[in-house]
Amino acid sequence: KDHSAAKFKAADNDKDGLLTEDELVHYFHPASKAEVLLLEAGKQFEELDKDKDGKLTLVEFYGDFEVPAEVIAYSAAKHDHTKPVKDAVAREFVVLDEDGDHRLSVEEFKHIHTGEHHIRNDMETFVAEIDADGDGHVSIEEVEAKYDTMDSHHVVARYFGSTDDEL
């Protein structure tokens, strides 16, 4: 109840104790307002941070889910990047761990609520797959060269729709 009240107050831009339609967006979609996002992420972070040290380990990041043996070994090896882990949750943890300290701060963790890290990862994958000259950019020539195979690409389908539509 306290969390809901704090979230309501954070979403209330004009501080009149009522939420307009625009303010309701902030309440129900925390990523739309930084203050609400931090509250929402902070609450979940606090629940996951079992040792209350202000950082999430990979094992804590799993929450109540069973942690696969592969992930426990990966975590114990301080996320040895020479041996990529197949587990999707562990890969997500590594993406969120911006400073590479093998632990998530609440600032790093909050990105899980925005979806931004998924979009960035998708775009990096997309560029890597069609960037023929390896310059880190996509030209119209590179798009046209891959055009026939792009329709089945998950990034195209998710963000751009079918290639049957004009890009």
Side-chain angles (χ1 to χ4, degrees):
K1 215 172 192 183
D2 290 339
H3 174 71
S4 184
K7 189 173 159 185
F8 187 98
K9 187 176 179 180
D12 186 9
N13 289 332
D14 58 13
K15 306 301 179 204
D16 65 356
L18 304 169
L19 296 183
T20 64
E21 288 178 20
D22 289 338
E23 292 167 334
L24 275 169
V25 170
H26 303 316
Y27 185 83
F28 288 108
H29 184 62
S32 67
K33 185 174 181 190
E35 185 180 355
V36 182
L37 172 63
L38 199 52
L39 273 171
E40 196 67 17
K43 179 182 185 292
Q44 187 178 9
F45 184 92
E46 189 176 300
E47 291 169 0
L48 293 172
D49 186 16
K50 299 297 184 201
D51 63 8
K52 305 299 179 206
D53 67 350
K55 291 279 195 163
L56 292 183
T57 64
L58 177 56
V59 173
E60 288 175 318
F61 186 67
Y62 268 82
D64 294 331
F65 295 101
E66 183 177 341
V67 183
E70 172 196 19
V71 172
I72 293 171
Y74 181 73
S75 184
K78 294 291 186 203
H79 311 210
D80 181 359
H81 296 293
T82 63
K83 299 176 184 171
V85 67
K86 295 177 183 173
D87 183 80
V89 175
R91 283 195 317 268
E92 183 168 21
F93 181 93
V94 171
V95 169
L96 290 168
D97 183 20
E98 295 172 352
D99 64 10
D101 70 351
H102 314 295
R103 297 161 19 117
L104 298 183
S105 67
V106 71
E107 279 296 313
E108 292 168 320
F109 179 75
K110 75 179 183 184
H111 296 294
I112 202 166
H113 291 276
T114 67
E116 181 180 342
H117 65 286
H118 290 295
I119 295 167
R120 288 184 185 281
N121 188 46
D122 284 348
M123 292 303 130
E124 286 173 12
T125 300
F126 182 67
V127 168
E129 289 179 15
I130 68 170
D131 180 21
D133 62 10
D135 67 355
H137 299 89
V138 176
S139 68
I140 189 63
E141 292 80 16
E142 290 167 325
V143 170
E144 289 173 348
K146 298 281 187 166
Y147 190 81
D148 291 336
T149 60
M150 285 174 50
D151 196 36
S152 63
H153 196 286
H154 76 280
V155 173
V156 172
R158 184 179 307 159
Y159 299 105
F160 305 112
S162 172
T163 56
D164 292 336
D165 299 332
E166 191 172 318
L167 289 179

